[in-house]
Amino acid sequence: MYLKKFETENKLIKRVKTEEEGRRINHYFDRAAIDLKKLDDPNLHFYVGEENGQPASYGRYLLLDKTVCFLSDIFTSKIHRGKGIGKALCRKMLMDAKQEGAVKSVLASSQMGHPLYL
């Protein structure tokens, strides 16, 4: 079963599909979190995590050779950290990648983020 959205309590995780959504997220975070020029790339998928209707986190994955999910650029704003939204975001991306045929996954993280994933 493929879920378009992943909801838990007051959190919502979904794939970003439109330029309008991407612009809203980029404006909220005041950075190019969503690469609008690459929204149509069939192997690159952007996601947003929202809490109470507001963007709280974002991330993306690239499907390599249709079997490897490469998670990257995962970010959660300071006020939303420690609430599980980043974990839910990663879980949703991995579930969707598996539905697309991924059998392996790789996570790229910064030095700061590395301890979170151990």
Side-chain angles (χ1 to χ4, degrees):
M1 181 172 89
Y2 179 75
L3 300 171
K4 289 188 178 190
K5 297 187 281 187
F6 182 77
E7 294 185 59
T8 174
E9 297 175 26
N10 56 349
K11 298 174 186 72
L12 168 72
I13 310 296
K14 64 180 181 176
R15 184 169 163 200
V16 178
K17 294 184 178 181
T18 68
E19 283 191 26
E20 183 180 340
E21 281 181 295
R23 279 191 203 95
R24 180 179 72 89
I25 294 160
N26 289 346
H27 177 74
Y28 184 86
F29 287 108
D30 195 28
R31 68 177 76 167
I34 309 299
D35 188 338
L36 302 177
K37 294 177 185 172
K38 295 183 180 178
L39 278 174
D40 293 330
D41 184 329
N43 296 310
L44 183 61
H45 306 293
F46 298 91
Y47 285 75
V48 64
E50 296 181 348
E51 187 171 42
N52 298 318
Q54 294 296 317
S57 64
Y58 62 82
R60 66 181 178 178
Y61 76 84
L62 176 65
L63 201 57
L64 304 168
D65 296 327
K66 301 188 190 255
T67 60
V68 179
C69 169
F70 183 77
L71 297 171
S72 66
D73 297 323
I74 298 163
F75 174 81
T76 302
S77 63
K78 280 186 179 183
I79 62 170
H80 294 98
R81 291 179 189 163
K83 298 179 181 180
I85 196 156
K87 183 177 184 176
L89 178 76
C90 289
R91 182 175 290 144
K92 171 66 173 143
M93 290 191 294
L94 289 169
M95 287 173 20
D96 287 359
K98 186 175 181 180
Q99 288 289 325
E100 287 191 76
V103 294
K104 294 181 182 180
S105 61
V106 176
L107 171 65
S109 75
S110 66
Q111 266 314 100
M112 184 179 79
H114 188 78
L116 298 172
Y117 303 109
L118 294 178

